[in-house]
Amino acid sequence: MIRALTGYSTRHPWKVITLWVVLGVALSALAPVLIARVTQHQTGDFLPRGYDSAAALRIAQERFGADPDAVTVTVLVARADGKALSTADQERVEAEAAKLGRRRVVMPREDDMPRFLVPDRSQTPRIAPAMTAPDRSFELLSVQLTGNPSDRGVQGVYRTFRDDARTQFSEAGMRTGFTGALADTVDTTDAHKTAATVGGALVMGFIVLLNVLVFRSVVAALLPLLAVALIGGVAAGAVAGAALLTGRKLDAGTPALIQVVLLGIGIDYLLFLLFRFREQLRARPEQSAREAAGQVSGRVGAAITSAALTIVAAFASLGLATFGQFRSLGPAIAVAVLVMLLGSLTLMPALLAAAGRKMFWPSRALRHEPREGRAARLGELVTRRPWTALTASVVLLAALAAGTAGIRMDYGRGGSGGPTPAAATAAEISRTLPAGVSDPTSVFVTTTDGGELTTGRLGGLTQALTQVKGVGQVARTVLTEDRRAARIDLYLTADPQSRQARDLASGPVRATVAQHVPAGTAAHVGGTSAIFADIATAVDHDLKIVFPVAAALIALILLVLLRSLLAPMVLMVSVGLGFAATLGATTLLFQHALGKPGVDFTLPLVLFLFVVALGTDYNILITDRIREEMRRPGPARAAVARAVRHTTPAIATAGLVLAGSFATLATTPGNEQVSFALTLGILLSAFVLSLLLVPALAALLGRALWWPVRPRPAAGDHPRHRPAAPAQEAERVTTY
């Protein structure tokens, strides 16, 4: 199957290239619209129905008309001179708010995006007075907009509303402040806009420069980016289309993560092909470039397929997760990687066949004998002193892994933590009102005996909740028209996203509700704090299931690829060490050194899947080449040295490219931890595991690495038996 795809692509390159260009342009244009339709921002929607906060969310929507797509912005209005608000001031505030509530906010035009690609998010906000500070220093307004906070159109609508409100209240002698998830997202995005632009440009420049230095070619430097961008556009459309067909919702951050993953692995796979293509052209100068492309693509295609399938298998295991954010992430990345694999087996071989030797223009490296370089010296060092390389690698990884001691999970939204205007407004509110006033924890009570609810019937529960330590204020009970459901809002004294608030909602609040809920009723606790508490439970459950299943699937793929029992064990142990070391280093930096509440709750799972699956790519490449070299006569250590020599340039370049791709995530607010961890994990996988640890173990174990079926030397593989190839080709190396 693999050779059939690569063979057809190299025989008919222009047909394949044309097909991919048409698909890439069409699906790239549709992807933004489709993705906007399948993303959601409410974390609670990802929880299974059996969780308490998920039940509360359903009651809020079904009985109290809560809009599942609504996002609330809290507006602080105060006198510009700092004096307390008078009755007339409050009337003026409410009058100005009423004017704003009747005005449709038009979404501004995005100059960098065609209008038809950006859904129109223009809308009329719903504005209502929320609360007045006890000292009358300010009044709070609740503003409801519709849409995803990560949607560029919704962010544009908010910016327009914010500027209009600021101007209107300023003319009335008032100052304003804005806070909430949307306000914080926009403030953080605006603060990081320049960094994101510059960071993305620097990474693209780094990738191009690295390829220029490696291949001495303009074409080889730019072609990987163009090819991956084309395949990435098709993948984005495929992911969105699959989500629409299956009814799945994607987390708002998934599309950006997919783009980074595809950029990294796509360039990796093309680099694997380019390095082997150049090696083949040097070894067989008389061979036609199209024939060489077919042979190389078929040979490397098997390793690329196995590498891609490890990623697909790892993320497919997320289908067993109970937390919907994980369950939607897995299939999305699996679909994207499958599209990238298809492109690697069709478009990329077609490009090699179409470009031929011009792929490396204007370099003349194909005409000269390469000199022995660092890669050869590394291979000799590792095989001459394997115990030293093994010990140094294990000590380094173990030292970093020790950082996992005392690790804590952070279930906050992962904001930048910087001094944004939204954070400053929230701090001002919390100085006179409970911190949770703009994001209450809500208790929903419904009847189960057919009777009606009254404030008197719920009085005991309300009174008990006021006695809970950490509950700053209990709002007036809200009843539905049929008096079959009630909502009691609690304003906690702790930040709703903090661990203290989560422990409070899942512990004392729920315990008090369970103890004092009236007979004939059922009660559920909802809100941000309760949702994150339930997410913590769901994630803990999922980690215990997904980790072993993903590891087993990857081990099975390695077993089929390597046809050995011992080699897959060696690779799995090595990537396990890499995972522990990366998680430990991230914990040391963010939790212990920078004083963060903990590491992001998604990090262990995402890190495990990415580092184990993507890191296995490099291990597959080196072990596949070690097995190929061990088929030749001679000592096993010499075979390992040749394998390291030939694969080091590809692995080192690919590792730097993939690490650079993940580094761009640092410019996206809230992704700093994930960016650092994935970047470090890939660097450790490429430079420590694949180029030191695995070769050292292979040198020590020799051909026993392939037990129970050891590769036997094949005389036809020896360079002396290769037709029309220089005898010294087996000893050729590439200088980098």
Side-chain angles (χ1 to χ4, degrees):
M1 179 64 178
I2 295 173
R3 291 187 180 273
L5 283 174
T6 58
Y8 179 85
S9 300
T10 52
R11 289 193 304 271
H12 308 282
W14 290 111
K15 291 182 180 179
V16 173
I17 293 172
T18 301
L19 176 62
W20 274 101
V21 169
V22 172
L23 287 175
V25 172
L27 291 180
S28 294
L30 293 174
V33 177
L34 295 177
I35 287 176
R37 294 177 58 184
V38 296
T39 55
Q40 65 184 33
H41 72 277
Q42 287 196 352
T43 310
D45 290 339
F46 288 115
L47 281 168
R49 297 177 65 88
Y51 282 89
D52 192 50
S53 60
L57 190 60
R58 290 196 303 274
I59 295 172
Q61 295 171 4
E62 296 170 2
R63 308 300 296 274
F64 290 88
D67 184 353
D69 295 322
V71 57
T72 301
V73 176
T74 299
V75 182
L76 179 151
V77 183
R79 287 177 58 113
D81 57 11
K83 295 181 179 179
L85 294 172
S86 64
T87 302
D89 291 331
Q90 287 186 275
E91 292 175 353
R92 189 180 305 114
V93 168
E94 294 174 8
E96 297 298 332
K99 293 179 185 177
L100 289 170
R102 292 191 295 268
R103 186 183 308 161
R104 184 174 177 80
V105 182
V106 179
M107 188 184 79
R109 178 180 177 82
E110 297 283 352
D111 294 333
D112 58 339
M113 290 286 288
R115 190 68 177 180
F116 72 93
L117 291 182
V118 183
D120 188 6
R121 303 301 187 194
S122 301
Q123 57 188 282
T124 302
R126 295 171 58 185
I127 306 176
M131 188 174 294
T132 303
D135 59 2
R136 305 182 67 84
S137 58
F138 59 80
E139 182 173 357
L140 298 181
L141 302 175
S142 177
V143 179
Q144 232 181 53
L145 297 173
T146 301
N148 193 317
S150 65
D151 188 302
R152 294 178 62 174
V154 176
Q155 293 179 4
V157 167
Y158 164 71
R159 289 188 183 94
T160 300
F161 169 79
R162 178 195 62 192
D163 295 342
D164 290 347
R166 187 175 288 160
T167 300
Q168 188 165 318
F169 280 111
S170 176
E171 292 174 352
M174 304 286 180
R175 66 175 179 86
T176 52
F178 304 81
T179 190
L182 177 57
D184 188 62
T185 298
V186 170
D187 288 347
T188 308
T189 300
D190 291 345
H192 288 74
K193 185 175 183 179
T194 301
T197 303
V198 173
L202 287 176
V203 169
M204 292 300 102
F206 167 74
I207 293 174
V208 172
L209 178 61
L210 184 63
N211 286 350
V212 168
L213 293 175
V214 169
F215 295 108
R216 306 290 196 276
S217 166
V218 176
V219 179
L222 296 177
L223 196 61
L225 292 174
L226 296 176
V228 171
L230 198 62
I231 300 173
V234 176
V239 169
L244 282 174
L245 291 175
T246 59
R248 289 183 178 270
K249 291 293 185 179
L250 302 179
D251 178 67
T254 297
L257 184 60
I258 289 176
Q259 290 178 4
V260 173
V261 171
L262 292 183
L263 174 65
I265 66 172
I267 293 178
D268 274 8
Y269 296 161
L270 186 50
L271 287 175
F272 294 165
L273 288 167
L274 282 174
F275 276 106
R276 200 62 185 262
F277 185 49
R278 185 172 67 175
E279 182 182 336
Q280 180 77 7
L281 293 178
R282 282 172 170 168
R284 303 286 298 275
E286 79 292 345
Q287 187 179 34
S288 71
R290 184 165 294 188
E291 182 182 352
Q295 290 183 4
V296 166
S297 300
R299 187 182 305 134
V300 180
I304 289 177
T305 300
S306 299
L309 290 180
T310 59
I311 302 175
V312 173
F315 281 94
S317 65
L318 288 178
L320 300 174
T322 59
F323 185 38
Q325 187 173 342
F326 291 160
R327 208 166 52 246
S328 66
L329 175 68
I333 291 187
V335 168
V337 173
L338 285 174
V339 173
M340 183 57 69
L341 172 60
L342 182 61
S344 301
L345 298 177
T346 54
L347 176 60
M348 294 181 183
L351 291 172
L352 294 182
R357 287 177 169 82
K358 293 180 181 178
M359 176 70 71
F360 303 103
W361 178 87
S363 172
R364 299 181 179 180
L366 296 179
R367 305 178 186 177
H368 303 291
E369 288 285 335
R371 298 168 301 179
E372 188 168 298
R374 296 186 184 91
R377 292 193 290 273
L378 176 63
E380 293 174 0
L381 177 63
V382 172
T383 53
R384 189 171 65 250
R385 297 181 178 177
W387 280 111
T388 301
L390 178 62
T391 302
S393 302
V394 172
V395 168
L396 172 63
L397 297 173
L400 293 176
T404 56
I407 186 173
R408 297 190 302 271
M409 295 296 108
D410 178 19
Y411 294 87
R413 291 195 178 98
S416 66
T420 62
T425 300
E428 181 179 355
I429 294 172
S430 65
R431 284 195 288 269
T432 55
L433 289 171
V437 70
S438 59
D439 192 359
T441 295
S442 300
V443 178
F444 293 91
V445 182
T446 57
T447 60
T448 58
D449 60 359
E452 291 187 353
L453 292 175
T454 64
T455 55
R457 187 178 180 186
L458 296 172
L461 174 60
T462 303
Q463 182 61 32
L465 289 171
T466 61
Q467 303 302 314
V468 176
K469 185 177 181 181
V471 175
Q473 188 175 337
V474 177
R476 180 177 58 86
T477 301
V478 178
L479 299 172
T480 57
E481 290 186 7
D482 61 2
R483 295 182 175 271
R484 294 291 191 274
R487 187 188 74 231
I488 306 172
D489 290 335
L490 313 179
Y491 304 129
L492 307 184
T493 57
D495 181 347
Q497 297 186 46
S498 68
R499 184 184 185 89
Q500 180 183 353
R502 293 195 306 274
D503 292 343
L504 180 62
S506 61
V509 170
R510 280 182 174 158
T512 301
V513 170
Q515 185 177 355
H516 294 87
V517 63
T521 66
H524 302 280
V525 180
T528 299
S529 303
I531 287 172
F532 284 147
D534 288 342
I535 288 175
T537 303
V539 170
D540 289 342
H541 170 271
D542 292 343
L543 293 181
K544 296 175 183 177
I545 294 178
V546 174
F547 275 12
V549 171
L553 290 174
I554 293 174
L556 180 61
I557 291 175
L558 292 176
L559 184 67
V560 173
L561 169 69
L562 302 177
R563 296 185 292 279
S564 164
L565 294 177
L566 185 56
M569 291 175 59
V570 168
L571 297 190
M572 291 305 296
V573 169
S574 68
V575 295
L577 284 172
F579 163 75
T582 307
L583 185 59
T586 307
T587 305
L588 285 172
L589 176 62
F590 288 94
Q591 181 179 311
H592 298 299
L594 299 181
K596 299 294 183 181
V599 298
D600 186 87
F601 73 98
T602 63
L603 183 63
L605 187 57
V606 171
L607 183 60
F608 175 82
L609 295 171
F610 277 97
V611 170
V612 172
L614 295 179
T616 302
D617 286 8
Y618 305 131
N619 284 343
I620 287 174
L621 190 65
I622 185 69
T623 51
D624 189 57
R625 190 58 183 257
I626 288 173
R627 184 179 59 183
E628 180 182 330
E629 296 295 336
M630 281 189 177
R631 292 183 184 278
R632 304 179 186 178
R637 290 194 179 188
V640 175
R642 289 195 301 271
V644 172
R645 183 175 65 196
H646 286 295
T647 55
T648 291
I651 290 176
T653 305
L656 288 173
V657 167
L658 187 54
S661 302
F662 284 134
T664 62
L665 286 173
T667 61
T668 303
N671 284 335
E672 295 84 0
Q673 289 188 26
V674 172
S675 174
F676 171 82
L678 294 182
T679 301
L680 177 62
I682 292 302
L683 292 176
L684 289 176
S685 296
F687 291 94
V688 178
L689 302 182
S690 298
L691 299 181
L692 289 178
L693 182 60
V694 172
L697 286 170
L700 291 170
L701 295 172
R703 289 183 171 85
L705 176 67
W706 309 103
W707 180 86
V709 182
R710 301 184 184 184
R712 295 185 177 183
D717 284 338
H718 193 273
R720 289 179 299 179
H721 299 282
R722 290 182 184 174
Q728 66 269 32
E729 172 53 27
E731 301 303 322
R732 287 185 177 180
V733 294
T734 309
T735 303
Y736 298 94

